[in-house]
Amino acid sequence: MEKKIAILGGGVTGVVLAGELSASPLFEVDLIEKAPVLGGLHRNFTIDNLNYDIGAFVFPVDHSLFTTFPRIKDLCLQIKNQMGSLTPRGTIDKYPCTLNGYIRDHGLVNFSYACLDLAYCKFRYWQRDNIPAFVKYYIGKNVYEKSGLKSYIEILYGIRDEEIDIEFATKRLGEIEKAASLKSIISKLLQYRDTALVEPPTLKEVVVRPPEGFHKMYEVANDILLSQGVNIFTNCEVKAITRRGERFEIEFLDSKKYYDRVISTIPIATISRLIGKPLEKDLEYRKLLSLFYRFNGDLGYSDNILHNFTTQGSWKRITTFSKYYGTYEGDDYFVVEITLEKDTQPDISKQQQDFENHVKSWGLFKGELKYQGSLVIPNAYPVYRRDRLHEVIKAKQGLREWGLDLAGRQGEFDYISSYDAAANARSLAEKIKADYCS
């Protein structure tokens, strides 16, 4: 007898889970999404015939979305992704930084001191028990601060680096551990390679969504899921979830359905309310403000994605879509990402002015900037504070003990990439299959 499974949330995690589980005759799958379309944050905002994304979405060719739905990759555009950093000295370097760039900005004497500082930091911070200690152990205090990496981490989270739990290091800074050791840096120097930190994996074998927008990708996913027997419910709001013995009752606005398993990819606070066990204290998130622009003139950089490593300006990253899809009527177009506190009501006009003044003060965007609009995503980034990680663990443990499966960045309150979220979704699907086959 088929097991009936409900997947809450139609973002990339939910879609991959639905694809993997529905490919097995063991399951009947309902994919339940509150929004009118699948895709989650993989969506576009069309302004003056231009498709803007809310962030930088670059997919390695082995992304699990393509493994589950091979036809989607054929729709995408293969590109060479170049990522840069605006340094504290106002120069452009490869992301996150290079030896040559550091020497150019700070000189050989300071670089020699940085090497001695790195050797000292290997002893001073060997425990790596917080974010500053973790990074200083691998690249030294001098490089950490002068390269702008410290500033970027604090812009990203909106809090001081020492307040961020070490868990963040394993989520977003793990490549430093692999590539920024003394052995690795010396090896690169001997090979005349200028990258001190690891080159991001997105430099090779990557694609971006089709020029028409994300909807082309998720229309294919939608059709494949339907052909595999998935029941897709969009514009669908869940009112409550109740345990009925070994099964789950999901109450909708006008009906009730019963399931053998429920997988949640929606925020932990939301699913906790739905099962009647609201959190005693809300988990902490950061908002994402996206500013959309057209521009006519000299950008001042050649990278697809530019990160803000300066100590001024609240913006964290610029993604220039015209680098992927070509200019429009002679204009470049891009999105600016700004992290905000969850309870902050953003002054869009001020954020716009601050961004424009900041980049122009460094000689970027010589020409006409044309502001096109903005969007705020309320629960974009989970925040790992050192003194509150136990609350996250407790909340997740409580939901699993109640009987739910959790998946994805929102479902697990996990600061991971789309690549990792989709890979984890496939792993969870395999685990669920094994549970019913054993």
Side-chain angles (χ1 to χ4, degrees):
M1 183 177 177
E2 288 180 330
K3 297 296 181 181
K4 195 165 177 62
I5 295 181
I7 300 172
L8 305 181
V12 63
T13 300
V15 167
V16 169
L17 277 165
E20 292 295 322
L21 292 172
S22 63
S24 167
L26 293 170
F27 309 109
E28 179 184 349
V29 179
D30 285 3
L31 181 58
I32 302 163
E33 169 57 51
K34 186 177 180 180
V37 294
L38 300 180
L41 293 182
H42 288 169
R43 51 183 163 141
N44 298 110
F45 297 85
T46 304
I47 305 171
D48 287 349
N49 297 317
L50 295 174
N51 284 322
Y52 292 92
D53 305 349
I54 45 175
F57 294 109
V58 180
F59 303 93
V61 292
D62 61 345
H63 195 288
S64 291
L65 183 65
F66 305 143
T67 307
T68 306
F69 306 98
R71 282 167 48 195
I72 291 180
K73 187 170 67 173
D74 296 335
L75 298 173
C76 295
L77 184 67
Q78 187 160 357
I79 54 99
K80 181 178 180 181
N81 199 38
Q82 297 179 185
M83 297 200 289
S85 304
L86 177 62
T87 75
R89 294 294 177 92
T91 58
I92 304 296
D93 200 358
K94 291 181 183 177
Y95 172 83
C97 68
T98 65
L99 294 176
N100 285 351
Y102 187 87
I103 292 171
R104 173 200 63 204
D105 287 352
H106 303 285
L108 280 170
V109 172
N110 185 278
F111 175 69
S112 300
Y113 173 77
C115 292
L116 295 174
D117 171 66
L118 174 57
Y120 167 74
C121 287
K122 291 293 184 185
F123 294 97
R124 174 67 177 81
Y125 301 108
W126 65 273
Q127 289 183 303
R128 287 159 281 177
D129 54 357
N130 59 38
I131 289 293
F134 178 90
V135 183
K136 290 173 186 176
Y137 176 85
Y138 289 106
I139 66 174
K141 179 176 183 291
N142 195 291
V143 174
Y144 175 50
E145 295 178 354
K146 289 183 178 293
S147 69
L149 182 56
K150 170 182 166 68
S151 175
Y152 180 73
I153 289 173
E154 293 181 334
I155 287 173
L156 182 64
Y157 263 99
I159 57 178
R160 293 177 300 170
D161 58 351
E162 61 262 30
E163 296 180 62
I164 305 170
D165 194 271
I166 190 61
E167 181 78 4
F168 172 75
T170 65
K171 303 294 182 186
R172 294 307 239 189
L173 302 176
E175 293 298 331
I176 290 178
E177 184 176 3
K178 298 177 187 176
S181 63
L182 278 172
K183 179 181 177 181
S184 176
I185 291 174
I186 291 171
S187 173
K188 289 170 184 175
L189 283 170
L190 292 175
Q191 297 174 53
Y192 299 100
R193 294 171 59 195
D194 68 353
T195 305
L197 303 183
V198 66
E199 291 187 5
T202 50
L203 283 172
K204 301 175 182 178
E205 295 292 316
V206 295
V207 299
V208 291
R209 51 92 176 156
E212 298 90 340
F214 279 113
H215 70 276
K216 296 290 288 187
M217 296 169 59
Y218 284 94
E219 283 170 1
V220 169
N222 188 90
D223 291 346
I224 293 173
L225 292 176
L226 290 175
S227 72
Q228 293 179 180
V230 176
N231 302 305
I232 300 174
F233 301 95
T234 53
N235 278 321
C236 186
E237 187 166 350
V238 175
K239 290 183 65 178
I241 304 175
T242 308
R243 283 298 298 263
R244 301 295 187 194
E246 294 298 312
R247 305 195 79 202
F248 302 86
E249 176 190 274
I250 297 185
E251 181 181 354
F252 301 95
L253 291 176
D254 55 0
S255 64
K256 293 180 181 179
K257 294 187 178 183
Y258 295 87
Y259 298 92
D260 297 291
R261 201 148 183 166
V262 175
I263 307 172
S264 174
T265 74
I266 63 180
I268 285 178
T270 302
I271 191 65
S272 297
R273 288 194 297 271
L274 290 175
I275 67 171
K277 297 179 179 292
L279 299 177
E280 296 176 3
K281 193 173 183 180
D282 280 344
L283 302 181
E284 190 173 358
Y285 289 89
R286 287 289 178 265
K287 290 180 178 178
L288 174 64
L289 168 63
S290 298
L291 303 178
F292 306 123
Y293 280 92
R294 287 177 64 169
F295 174 72
N296 187 272
D298 179 13
L299 290 169
Y301 60 90
S302 60
D303 302 289
N304 311 107
I305 301 172
L306 185 68
H307 300 77
N308 179 19
F309 274 42
T310 73
T311 56
Q312 305 90 33
S314 59
W315 65 277
K316 71 182 184 75
R317 184 168 61 186
I318 300 170
T319 303
T320 309
F321 305 117
S322 49
K323 295 288 186 181
Y324 303 137
Y325 306 109
T327 58
Y328 180 76
E329 297 179 344
D331 286 356
D332 288 287
Y333 60 106
F334 59 90
V335 63
V336 180
E337 297 171 71
I338 300 171
T339 304
L340 301 171
E341 291 188 15
K342 183 179 179 181
D343 297 327
T344 299
Q345 192 63 34
D347 184 336
I348 305 296
S349 178
K350 184 178 185 305
Q351 293 287 352
Q352 173 195 347
Q353 198 62 50
D354 287 350
F355 164 73
E356 294 178 10
N357 289 340
H358 180 250
V359 292
K360 288 187 174 182
S361 72
W362 291 111
L364 303 180
F365 297 102
K366 294 178 179 177
E368 183 186 3
L369 273 169
K370 308 169 188 177
Y371 174 68
Q372 299 288 91
S374 66
L375 180 77
V376 176
I377 302 296
N379 295 323
Y381 300 118
V383 175
Y384 293 83
R385 283 191 188 268
R386 296 183 66 192
D387 58 350
R388 294 194 60 187
L389 188 62
H390 67 284
E391 296 173 11
V392 178
I393 295 171
K394 180 181 176 182
K396 290 164 63 172
Q397 182 179 346
L399 291 170
R400 288 193 171 106
E401 288 176 352
W402 194 81
L404 297 170
D405 292 289
L406 306 178
R409 178 185 284 192
Q410 297 290 349
E412 291 204 89
F413 196 78
D414 204 356
Y415 199 147
I416 53 178
S417 65
S418 165
Y419 179 89
D420 289 332
N424 291 348
R426 292 193 75 216
S427 297
L428 176 58
E430 291 304 314
K431 177 183 179 300
I432 291 173
K433 292 176 190 177
D435 287 346
Y436 291 105
C437 289
S438 57

